[in-house]
Amino acid sequence: MFEQSIATLAQQLRDKEISSVELTRLFLDRIQALDPQLNSFITISDELALQQAKAADTAIANGSSSSLTGIPIAHKDLFCTQGVLTTCGSKMLNNFIPPYESTVTGRIQQAGAVMLGKTNMDEFAMGSSNENSFYGAVKNPWNLNKVPGGSSGGSAAAVAAGLAVAATGTDTGGSIRQPASFCGITGLKPTYGRVSRFGMIAYASSLDQGGPMAKSAEDCAHLMQAIAGFDDKDSTSSETPKEDYLANLNAPLAGLKIGLPKEYFGDGLDTKVADTIMAAVKEFEKLGATVKEVSLPNLQLSIPSYYVIAPSEASSNLSRFDGVRFGHRCDDPKDLLDMYTRSRAEGFGTEVQKRIMVGTYALSEGYYDAYYLKAQKIRRLIKEDFVNTLNEVDVIMGPVAPTTAFDLGSKTNDPVAMYLEDIYTLSVNLAGIPAMSVPAGFVDNMPVGLQIMGNYFAEAKLLNIAHQYQQNTDWHLQTPTMAKGA
């Protein structure tokens, strides 16, 4: 049952083969049995989940259900959920219970889905390995000694292990796509502004974007149907009409033009990963696509520009966590300054403190022009590279990460090596285009994701391309051995 698609489960619910309450209990039991090994959840909302499941069964009986009604889903723990602890993986928000609902979780709730709980993540979404959480590292279900990727590693691990049918994630520099690749699931980072950021605790406001994580492209399309669209509560939300993400999943790929950036296949890319990606590209050629080499000449500048822009925005966004209004407050402060400094020093972890310091420095007088302004100019060049290339081809393909999942603890003391894990994903966020990770094979028994990048608001096309690939391969159907143990 835990391996079934959203469409299959929705049909079984409508046919009364199983109730949402039964299905929800099945997943709650799996979480109880398997999550102690993974640490993929921070909060398990079992009572709320069963209440929502009962309401879903009533809606189905009344004939007023959608494809998500009664489907058990998990949410990354930076989406505010009214009345449910929302921590952002940080001690700073260890006691924060939001008085309101984020647009993403609210829309999924309105569609009738069941919230199993909130998934673990790198603190304030800062990290590529999910080792930066106040609640401990998440383990990869394919190998418990490996990282699941970050920052949406809890969501990726939960879906891969069959602890949730699907999950929400967020992507600031690859944080949906990289964990999706490492855990062997499908993840979509939509166009910036396609999915509302209201109620999504901010890391870097011009880069953050929420999106779906699931076993397949079809399942991601079901979630996109619910969460995409304009939101007047979010000033960065796009008024571009959303598409029907399910309507054209089965459209043929004959004539599709694929670009392979030469910069994605140079030094640093594991040769076995490269071979796996090229094997996936050949599958698309069998489906009628043509392939040509393209160039994104400013790709190498994405890491330095990102690690100026993102920390700068984080420095500004995280200034609100001062021990005054909500979140962690130090004990017995001597005065206001003591309360500010000790609350922040105690509440933020090392990686978050590091990025706040970098961002504050880059924005300080005398350095703004030299760092932040220059990084924004480079960002424009990166965007133009994508625009020019996507005028030549329909989509761009390449690896998500230079390697498969690495060992827990292997890069925690080498921040440069950790940052280089995002070399193929950061530029997409800087440009604001949509991209997704699709399971494409295995290297040394660990999953490899194919990255598919498209033009602005072309999510439906990306989902169609990924779905057609998944109709002709079975990589997305593979299940970790540990997931079969419950």
Side-chain angles (χ1 to χ4, degrees):
M1 189 66 69
F2 70 90
E3 294 177 307
Q4 300 294 336
S5 68
I6 287 176
T8 299
L9 289 172
Q11 188 62 52
Q12 291 175 343
L13 289 167
R14 287 193 296 269
D15 292 343
K16 309 296 191 295
E17 293 178 19
I18 190 171
S19 70
S20 179
V21 169
E22 291 170 330
L23 187 62
T24 299
R25 282 189 174 133
L26 181 150
F27 278 94
L28 289 172
D29 288 346
R30 286 184 61 80
I31 293 169
Q32 185 176 16
L34 296 178
D35 200 51
Q37 301 175 66
L38 294 174
N39 195 33
S40 66
F41 280 84
I42 291 173
T43 300
I44 301 167
S45 51
D46 46 3
E47 290 185 13
L48 177 61
L50 290 170
Q51 289 174 13
Q52 292 177 339
K54 289 176 184 175
D57 285 332
T58 300
I60 292 168
N62 293 337
S64 57
S65 61
S66 76
S67 64
L68 291 182
T69 303
I71 303 297
I73 287 172
H75 293 303
K76 185 175 180 178
D77 202 26
L78 58 54
F79 289 102
C80 287
T81 43
Q82 187 173 10
V84 178
L85 182 68
T86 300
T87 72
C88 228
S90 178
K91 180 180 179 180
M92 181 61 79
L93 292 176
N94 192 35
N95 60 1
F96 177 56
I97 298 178
Y100 65 98
E101 193 80 21
S102 76
T103 296
V104 164
T105 57
R107 287 178 174 176
I108 289 176
Q109 185 175 311
Q110 289 167 12
V114 172
M115 184 177 79
L116 295 167
K118 309 294 288 295
T119 55
N120 204 346
M121 56 178 284
D122 280 311
E123 184 181 6
F124 284 99
M126 299 183 192
S128 304
S129 65
N130 224 137
E131 296 173 286
N132 295 330
S133 172
F134 173 65
Y135 301 92
V138 178
K139 314 291 176 30
N140 191 312
W142 289 94
N143 183 332
L144 298 177
N145 296 315
K146 303 281 188 181
V147 303
S151 62
S152 306
S155 289
V159 171
L163 307 188
V165 178
T168 54
T170 64
D171 195 309
T172 304
S175 291
I176 286 176
R177 290 161 289 152
Q178 189 239 31
S181 175
F182 282 6
C183 291
I185 67 168
T186 305
L188 170 64
K189 178 260 172 204
T191 305
Y192 181 77
R194 176 73 294 170
V195 173
S196 173
R197 294 190 301 109
F198 177 77
M200 196 175 99
I201 297 170
Y203 163 22
S205 299
S206 73
L207 300 165
D208 298 342
Q209 186 59 202
M213 305 179 77
K215 287 288 185 73
S216 68
E218 183 179 16
D219 283 357
C220 286
H222 281 283
L223 261 70
M224 280 295 290
Q225 289 286 90
I227 65 177
F230 175 68
D231 178 18
D232 58 11
K233 295 177 183 176
D234 174 10
S235 62
T236 60
S237 178
S238 173
E239 296 188 45
T240 303
K242 73 172 187 177
E243 297 180 77
D244 184 332
Y245 299 105
L246 293 163
N248 295 311
L249 286 178
N250 292 314
L253 300 187
L256 179 73
K257 297 177 183 176
I258 298 171
L260 297 182
K262 61 183 181 181
E263 292 83 4
Y264 276 59
F265 295 90
D267 294 340
L269 177 62
D270 182 277
T271 55
K272 292 180 181 178
V273 171
D275 291 343
T276 303
I277 297 303
M278 292 311 298
V281 171
K282 290 187 183 302
E283 287 293 328
F284 285 101
E285 290 183 298
K286 293 178 185 176
L287 295 173
T290 57
V291 178
K292 66 176 288 187
E293 184 181 88
V294 295
S295 179
L296 299 171
N298 292 296
L299 177 73
Q300 76 277 8
L301 299 176
S302 59
I303 287 182
S305 59
Y306 176 91
Y307 282 104
V308 169
I309 294 169
S312 296
E313 295 184 10
S315 172
S316 176
N317 280 325
L318 272 60
S319 64
R320 72 193 70 179
F321 302 109
D322 53 13
V324 176
R325 289 152 291 191
F326 55 86
H328 175 75
R329 179 183 292 184
C330 68
D331 294 330
D332 302 319
K334 292 183 294 185
D335 52 32
L336 188 62
L337 181 61
D338 184 50
M339 184 184 72
Y340 286 161
T341 55
R342 283 206 290 127
S343 294
R344 289 170 66 81
E346 294 169 10
F348 290 135
T350 302
E351 185 64 27
V352 175
Q353 292 184 30
K354 185 190 307 178
R355 297 194 193 195
I356 289 173
M357 292 294 289
V358 168
T360 303
Y361 179 83
L363 292 176
S364 61
E365 186 177 359
Y367 297 100
Y368 177 90
D369 289 349
Y371 293 102
Y372 185 75
L373 191 60
K374 185 170 288 186
Q376 291 287 20
K377 290 178 180 179
I378 292 170
R379 180 180 191 171
R380 182 55 185 252
L381 295 176
I382 291 169
K383 176 181 177 179
E384 288 175 354
D385 285 348
F386 278 106
V387 170
N388 293 336
T389 300
L390 288 167
N391 283 332
E392 300 176 27
V393 296
D394 298 313
V395 291
I396 300 167
M397 291 188 184
V400 174
T403 64
T404 57
F406 46 90
D407 291 341
L408 286 158
S410 63
K411 299 189 179 184
T412 51
N413 294 320
D414 189 349
V416 174
M418 188 75 80
Y419 295 164
L420 286 172
E421 284 295 319
D422 299 329
I423 181 66
Y424 304 131
T425 55
L426 293 176
S427 55
V428 164
N429 298 79
L430 292 166
I433 63 172
M436 62 190 301
S437 175
V438 181
F442 290 82
V443 169
D444 299 328
N445 299 315
M446 294 302 295
V448 174
L450 168 71
Q451 186 170 197
I452 309 174
M453 296 156 272
N455 223 325
Y456 296 97
F457 303 105
E459 289 83 6
K461 185 61 179 177
L462 294 187
L463 290 164
N464 159 234
I465 292 167
H467 179 67
Q468 288 303 298
Y469 175 73
Q470 291 177 341
Q471 293 296 99
N472 290 274
T473 61
D474 65 354
W475 302 118
H476 64 294
L477 300 177
Q478 305 304 308
T479 303
T481 302
M482 66 89 64
K484 300 172 184 177

